[in-house]
């Protein structure tokens, strides 16, 4: 049915009606007192969400733009960086580093597996003369649904002294990313994920230590020059013309998040993840990420005996539910259920019910009808 | 009054209700057939608006981001570029070029004056061994309301062989920028201007000749790498997560523009400019740009005997009309009336009426009450 679409992808995610209506407000001038007040308010809200006193800067860009800004503002050509990669986005940060002439050392894991923090530690310990300037970690790897152990890795990075740079695009707002407690120096994210907003804004949190590095960093940048954003943010302003309607929406979304509370938001995502995983197990659909490292934002499933793309197609055509497919070499091999942002317990029941119907329609026999929904319901009502 | 704001600034500009409502639609997946159709449709519309068969690429960025992309994708460190500057934005493109290590030669004019095309010709003719790789021109200088003679300059640039790069941020959609007819290689613009959209999208049109330069250009870039956008655009897709709600809005706005027709759009802006300028003359308020180079998008006024900031303040407080102030050294010396995008004849009458009331309130005596409105009306009803 038209206008009946239900997004269960890892971005864009569903957006609350009140946020959508804020998108439809008439723009106001971005150099006005009214807009400065909005910048001040959303900046405070972002600091709350990021659990930090650091600067949190707002860019008109996708998450990739925010992440690129997070990398290139603090480094110079030839700098050695340690990049962890176990999926498409980790690979992307390697690519960005290489484009800018950084000297990349990688710690890798197979797609679907978690980065071993001890491997990061070993690399850092081997760097006796402290040549590694930054470690770049993808917290929740959107392409696989694996969450990496950022807390442990960041401890090792702090011990070494390198800058800790984090792609938190699908973790921020879905799980705790306590910037100050963990000592994260640069944290990038995007609006269309845990923020319950449409795409269009990127966010970068920057620590005082990262700003020290900024002072001597030499990679060229202008639109993505975070120093410009910091300077204007100090006046509750913005260096360029910001997407004012997205700011209206951000203001409303942060209000909704504050009303729910950080602990409740994180508990909800954890519950959605557990219910989804329990359902997949009950349906004998293999999970692509291990239980110990399942992302609270995305659950990837690698079905056996039934075609992932056919499942997605039926969900889309019969039930107007969109799930994501696999990317690159995982295309056709997995499907990914996004459950971050404005997603409720009810949505998981809905998605699993429809998934069961699709499995039946496809002649998949390795399950008992109703078992997935029952398993999900059990988790949700615990 | 709350919610009564009337924007007469050079961006954000007013947005039609149908466009705002499109902003409030639920997002859809950006890797879906439905979204690919939207990309295809808006790309066709953009080519129509740009009067070109060249690629027109869509970025999640401000106009500055689009312009930076337009510069850095086609050049290498040390390349010589000729930049014309007669205002804040021309200066900005100089700054970007310098950040990227380009070798900048400038052709300047005082703020408020027009760039002399013959000065550009002289510089190009002096470049006997064709070291100048690109010429960068700000078509409509937003900071002063001057429109430069792009047609003549581009003729000289074509004769020389350098790439013709254009900041068309406040000219695209307000006046004719016939890319193919004038042979413009790179043209950047932004959504919150002539497009009748909120801020959030940048556009860059790229000629085959510019793509040839891209093949050997070496400046580092990733998020602003236009090659990525071209590759995905060929599949009606996008390299990152695009601001899908802005695309919904763009689709509607282009529909409105197509219904009005290019010639009518340009004639309307010309009429709004002429009416505004006639009114200022009738009110004995000196125009900052000469008649021969008044931008169809913005009229700057340098009042004598009455304070520009006080005028703006009264318009804002008493009549909920926002006009722009002067930037940098022009702060307090001029005010700028934006009349681009979704602005009608009625809006000019409204703005001039309110301006007259403000002048009276401020004790300005050098005008006959009603003279400005009468002069504007005469132009509008010709």
């Amino acid at each position: 049915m038209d206008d009946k679409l239900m997004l269960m992808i890892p971005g864009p995610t569903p957006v609350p009606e009140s946020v959508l209506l804020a998108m439809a407000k008439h723009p106001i001038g971005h150099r006005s007192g009214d807009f400065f007040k909005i910048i001040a308010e959303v900046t405070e809200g972002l600091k709350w969400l990021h659990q930090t006193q650091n600067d949190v800067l707002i860019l008109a860009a996708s998450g990739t733009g925010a992440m690129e800004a997070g990398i290139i503002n603090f480094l110079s050509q030839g700098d050695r960086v340690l990049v962890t990669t176990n999926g498409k986005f980790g690979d992307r940060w390697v690519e960005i580093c290489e484009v800018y002439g950084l000297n990349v050392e990688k710690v890798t894991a197979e797609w679907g597996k978690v980065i071993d923090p001890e491997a990061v530690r070993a690399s850092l310990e081997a760097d006796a003369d402290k040549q590694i300037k930054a470690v770049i970690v993808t917290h929740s790897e959107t392409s696989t649904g694996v969450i990496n152990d950022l807390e442990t890795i960041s401890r090792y990075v702090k011990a070494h002294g390198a800058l800790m740079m984090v792609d938190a695009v699908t973790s921020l707002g879905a799980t705790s990313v306590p910037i100050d407690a963990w000592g994260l120096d640069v944290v990038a994210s995007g609006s269309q994920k845990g923020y319950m907003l449409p795409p269009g804004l990127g966010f970068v949190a920057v620590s005082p230590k990262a700003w020290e590095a900024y002072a001597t960093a030499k990679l060229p940048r202008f639109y993505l020059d975070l120093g410009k954003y910091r300077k204007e943010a100090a006046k509750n302003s913005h260096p360029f013309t910001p997407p004012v309607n997205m700011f209206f929406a951000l203001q409303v979304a942060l209000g909704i998040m504050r009303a729910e509370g950080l602990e409740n938001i994180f508990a909800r995502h954890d519950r959605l993840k557990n219910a989804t995983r329990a359902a997949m197990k009950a349906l004998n659909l293999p999970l692509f990420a291990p239980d110990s490292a399942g992302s609270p934002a995305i659950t990837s499933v690698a079905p056996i005996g039934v075609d992932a793309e056919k499942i997605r197609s039926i969900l889309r055509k019969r039930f107007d539910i969109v799930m994501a497919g696999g990317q690159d070499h995982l295309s056709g091999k997995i499907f990914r259920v996004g459950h971050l942002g404005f997603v409720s317990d009810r949505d998981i029941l809905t998605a699993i019910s429809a998934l069961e119907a699709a499995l039946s329609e496809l002649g998949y026999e390795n399950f008992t009808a109703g078992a997935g929904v029952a398993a999900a319901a059990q988790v949700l009502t615990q």
Side-chain angles (χ1 to χ4, degrees), chain A:
Chain A
M1 285 172 77
D2 277 356
D3 289 343
K4 196 72 184 175
L5 203 67
M6 179 178 178
L7 292 177
M8 299 288 290
I9 54 178
T13 58
V15 178
E17 183 182 74
S18 56
V19 176
L20 289 173
L21 292 176
M23 292 287 290
K25 289 177 69 175
H26 284 285
I28 64 174
H30 57 295
R31 305 278 179 235
S32 66
D34 287 344
F35 194 68
F36 297 155
K37 274 186 215 158
I38 292 174
I39 293 184
E41 182 185 326
V42 299
T43 300
E44 272 310 300
L46 290 170
K47 288 185 181 187
W48 165 81
L49 182 63
H50 285 72
Q51 304 176 62
T52 189
Q53 296 303 313
N54 293 347
D55 293 313
V56 185
L57 305 169
I58 309 171
L59 283 65
S62 78
T64 297
M67 193 62 190
E68 177 173 347
I71 295 171
I72 66 175
N73 276 273
F74 309 104
L75 296 165
S76 302
Q77 197 174 355
D79 276 355
R80 194 154 153 219
V81 291
L82 186 68
V83 186
T84 71
T85 173
N86 55 338
K88 185 179 178 70
F89 288 90
D91 286 355
R92 181 172 287 181
W93 314 142
V94 170
E95 205 184 327
I96 289 182
C97 290
E98 289 175 347
V99 159
Y100 282 93
L102 302 178
N103 179 4
V104 178
E105 180 180 340
K106 288 190 266 188
V107 171
T108 62
E110 204 181 323
W111 289 33
K113 308 293 181 208
V114 71
I115 294 290
D116 179 6
E118 299 311 312
V120 177
R121 181 166 71 168
S123 287
L124 291 171
E125 283 179 354
D127 179 40
D129 53 351
K130 309 284 184 191
Q131 287 299 299
I132 295 173
K133 295 278 191 284
V135 178
I136 301 175
V137 172
T138 306
H139 190 193
S140 166
E141 178 48 79
T142 311
S143 64
T144 64
V146 166
I147 190 155
N148 288 308
D149 183 359
L150 180 60
E151 183 177 9
T152 303
I153 294 173
S154 64
R155 208 163 50 231
Y156 296 149
V157 174
K158 296 329 280 179
H160 171 279
L163 290 171
M164 179 73 243
M165 298 182 170
V166 182
D167 163 5
V169 171
T170 52
S171 64
L172 220 296
T175 192
S176 187
V177 186
I179 290 184
D180 290 356
W182 290 358
L184 311 176
D185 294 303
V186 179
V187 175
S189 59
S191 57
Q192 76 280 14
K193 310 287 184 177
Y195 292 86
M196 309 193 294
L197 289 171
L201 294 181
F203 307 95
V204 193
V206 182
S207 75
K209 181 174 166 184
W211 285 126
E212 275 176 41
Y214 174 89
T216 56
K218 289 192 180 62
L219 291 176
R221 51 197 129 76
F222 191 91
Y223 184 67
L224 296 178
D225 182 349
L226 294 178
K228 296 187 196 306
Y229 293 81
R230 174 176 57 163
K231 185 178 161 201
E232 294 299 320
K235 300 178 281 183
N236 294 319
S237 188
H238 197 275
F240 308 112
T241 307
V244 295
N245 294 55
M246 288 291 301
F247 277 67
F248 299 155
L250 174 60
Q251 186 181 28
V252 175
L254 285 169
I256 295 173
M257 297 178 87
R258 286 222 195 209
E260 185 175 2
L262 279 185
E263 291 311 314
N264 291 333
I265 291 171
F266 303 150
R268 171 167 57 84
H269 283 89
D270 209 46
R271 195 166 66 239
L272 302 180
K273 172 194 78 171
N274 290 335
T276 304
R277 295 180 70 89
M280 298 304 172
K281 287 177 188 171
L283 298 172
N284 297 309
L285 294 174
L287 292 159
F288 192 63
D291 281 344
S292 57
S295 169
I298 313 120
T299 297
S300 291
V301 182
I304 295 174
V306 59
D307 187 277
E309 288 303 296
K310 285 185 180 159
I311 292 173
R312 290 180 60 229
S313 176
I314 290 176
L315 288 174
R316 176 70 185 80
K317 286 181 187 154
R318 290 277 292 108
F319 302 108
D320 301 299
I321 296 176
V322 192
M323 292 186 183
Q327 293 174 294
D328 297 350
H329 68 272
L330 293 178
S331 177
K333 299 198 177 122
I334 64 170
F335 66 90
R336 294 177 295 147
V337 188
H339 39 70
L340 75 163
F342 186 56
V343 177
S344 70
D345 292 12
R346 188 187 75 205
D347 293 325
I348 300 300
L349 294 178
T350 303
I352 300 299
S353 310
L355 173 61
E356 289 197 19
L359 293 172
S360 292
E361 188 166 331
L362 289 168
Y364 174 71
E365 291 181 341
N366 190 21
F367 81 115
T368 306
V373 173
Q378 193 180 13
V379 172
L380 296 172
T381 56
Q382 254 167 15

